[in-house]
Amino acid sequence: MRWLDGFFERSSRRAAQRVSRRSALAGIGRLLVGAALALPVLPFDRVARLAGAAEGGKKKAADDSQCEYWRYCALDGYLCSCCGGSVSTCPPGTEPSKVAWIGTCRNPQDGKDYLISYNDCCGKTSCGRCLCNFNLGERPAYRMGLHNDINWCMANTSTMFHCTTAALIGVAERT
Ligand code: ABN
């Protein structure tokens, strides 16, 4: 390996005589900046990551304790399925609001639109878990039946809002 040591020694000395320290540093700097710019655009295979994200999205759309569950397309409130109840039943100690708002949501499994009744559950303080807010087809208070941003426990004996259910009430007819 002596010859290799000698070779590198001779090349280093020759380079040191020809190239100044400043231009050597500038060259190394250019190399580093070039690499930093070029590397992110190299064609990495991102397909696997995208497939994973799509799979995660599908799982969420089928899980009624996630905001992305399809029936929650016009729900504003805490999910009762995270609060001791279910997607369509109030947790113990609360009762469904006497008035409600409705939404029309598409079930991704069959591609059909369904009418959903959103009822607030009343009688306990805010659940505080799984706050979701989707507003597909939601309208301001001049269309009360489509308005989600108020406490629908207003007509109950106890007006305390706890969480919101999303009961399926029928298939939406196309007009
Ligand atoms: N409809 C859910 C809700 C309750 C209280 C305040 C705003 C929204």
Side-chain angles (χ1 to χ4, degrees), residues 76-78 101 119-120 147-153 161 163-164:
D76 178 7
Y78 304 108
W101 76 104
N119 286 75
D120 287 339
H147 187 48
N148 66 14
D149 197 17
I150 55 167
N151 179 357
W152 280 98
C153 294
F161 161 69
C163 63
T164 306

Side-chain angles (χ1 to χ4, degrees), residues 95-111:
E95 59 171 12
S97 56
K98 296 195 190 309
V99 280
W101 76 104
I102 56 160
T104 304
C105 304
R106 183 157 297 169
N107 181 345
Q109 298 213 302
D110 61 10

Side-chain angles (χ1 to χ4, degrees), residues 12-124:
S12 317
R13 284 185 190 285
R14 237 178 281 137
Q17 279 161 5
R18 267 188 287 119
V19 184
S20 73
R21 195 182 310 169
R22 187 178 294 174
S23 74
L25 285 176
I28 293 170
R30 268 197 300 274
L31 200 73
L32 289 178
V33 171
L37 291 177
L39 281 178
V41 295
L42 288 178
F44 292 114
D45 183 6
R46 295 191 172 88
V47 174
R49 216 168 73 192
L50 287 180
E55 199 51 43
K58 260 194 231 159
K59 272 193 194 137
K60 280 185 175 177
D63 178 354
D64 65 23
S65 65
Q66 302 280 329
C67 290
E68 291 76 12
Y69 182 58
W70 69 274
R71 278 198 215 177
Y72 302 150
C73 75
L75 182 148
D76 178 7
Y78 304 108
L79 302 183
C80 288
S81 49
C82 293
C83 303
S86 75
V87 63
S88 55
T89 56
C90 286
T94 65
E95 59 171 12
S97 56
K98 296 195 190 309
V99 280
W101 76 104
I102 56 160
T104 304
C105 304
R106 183 157 297 169
N107 181 345
Q109 298 213 302
D110 61 10
K112 286 187 186 158
D113 292 333
Y114 288 87
L115 213 55
I116 309 292
S117 172
Y118 298 106
N119 286 75
D120 287 339
C121 293
C122 318
K124 277 186 176 177

